[in-house]
Amino acid sequence: MNNTSRTLSARCCIVGGGPAGMMLAVQLARAGIKVVLLEKHGDFLRDFRGDTVHPSTLEILAELGLKQRFDSLPQRRVETIEGIFADGIYAVGDFRGLKPYPYLALVPQWDLLNLLAQEAQAYSNFTLLMRCEATGLIRTDGGAQVVGVTANAVEGPLQIYADLVIGCDGRGSCLREAAGLQSQNLGAPMDVLWFRLPRLGSDPEGTYAVPGKGNFFALLNRNDYWQCARVIPKGAADRWYQQPIAAFQAQIAQRIAFLADRVGALATWDDVKLLEVRVDRLLRWHRPGLLLIGDAAHAMSPIGGVGINLAIQDAVAAANILGPALTAPGVPDEAILAAVQKRRLLPTKIIQGIQVFLQRRIIAPALASSDDGRPIAFPRAAKFILRFRLIRSIPARVFGVGFFREHVMSGEPRGRTGKLSIRDIARH
Ligand SMILES: Cc1cc2nc3c(=O)[nH]c(=O)nc-3n(C[C@H](O)[C@H](O)[C@H](O)COP(=O)(O)OP(=O)(O)OC[C@H]3O[C@@H](n4cnc5c(N)ncnc54)[C@H](O)[C@@H]3O)c2cc1C
């Protein structure tokens, strides 16, 4: 350990300022708990990382009194998900029957994170350290008890001592590795190429799935642009990258006719980002003094766009369970950390189970069939069944609301000092 390290101490140290970490920070800060959050990047304005804010998250934001501020963020409200097939456009998912929020909000993730960071920063007991990367765990008792993290900050090495460390550092979690926690890989037959194309006033209005033989596209309507996904077989990205970008442009133009006039916006492969899909789950989410939640505990498939929302549900459950233990004196017992895993395990397992089922039964066979460049026709049986709104609302309910929904249980916020600007946060 470096003797020149600076040292900080807190009741709780959160590693990672993604949806899980920021949502947890807001709630622990409101409860008056001394919290330090480390985020390795300098801001939240990074690559596309998913925009889907489902009704379950909208409800949490409302419970925290943040819904009005959230509503003022640039966004698109999606009430139905449609499929573009050879024989027309059909609704395949319908949020309109859901209460109290009958829509999915497409909001840049950085705007959501900035909002949560601003809210947490309004509490003097909360410290946000940007450009501060956790590098390992500090332990005592022969390694059994986690008592903090080591980190690299802009000013140099840092040690943060805390009664509880919560790893929210995403699917590549370094704390997961440092703690030696074992995960179960549930497998994924696909990866996703993400890219943006301009959206014109004459384009269709919806948000679409575009299934085809040997290929699958999704188009998220972001008002002035389309956030597009091309699902590819696992590991196939390199085969694409070896071809000129023109081959990719040509396929998009062939499959989605109204985009043909602007595929040139993808100038090089740098405009196309690869998401290596991984679905896994830790067998144990905790060690004495350490808990992992969000993607760090369970990486999700992009099916249903639920990763952000599950991470937020984890954070709410963790705050509800850990808040009282962290406001009382003493180090939280590992049994309390186990209670968080116990509460969130079943909803996570159910959603991952559905994702894996859909990956195996629909995505993998579709990607394995030979690509004739043509769209597929909407199967007759699906056409009949999905005429009923009740049936169309099932996928919206499963992914948009989820199972065993969490609600904010913390009392009145303590010690709010006022709002800070994004500039304040960046300067920190
Ligand atoms: C390209 C892409 C598209 C996606 N699309 C969707 C979608 O449409 N809908 C959806 O719901 N989900 C989507 N996801 C998944 C979603 O982003 C995640 O499930 C969700 O963000 C998980 O939240 P989290 O807070 O657990 O982790 P993350 O969002 O991964 O946050 C982890 C944070 O920890 C920070 N960090 C990592 N290591 C360290 C360290 N050592 N020290 C300090 N900080 C650290 C990271 O910088 C990051 O800010 C997508 C993901 C990707 C990559």
Side-chain angles (χ1 to χ4, degrees), residues 229-244:
R230 160 66 159 101
V231 181
I232 55 171
K234 179 113 229 103
D238 282 342
R239 285 206 296 281
W240 273 107
Y241 293 153
Q242 281 157 16
Q243 300 181 52

Side-chain angles (χ1 to χ4, degrees), residues 5 14 26 36-37 72 86 148 151 213 216 241 253 264 284 300 318 338 374 378:
S5 286
I14 299 173
V26 166
V36 172
L37 187 148
S72 66
K213 278 188 189 156
F216 191 105
Y241 293 153
R284 187 186 170 101
M300 307 298 294
R374 283 185 310 207
F378 198 34

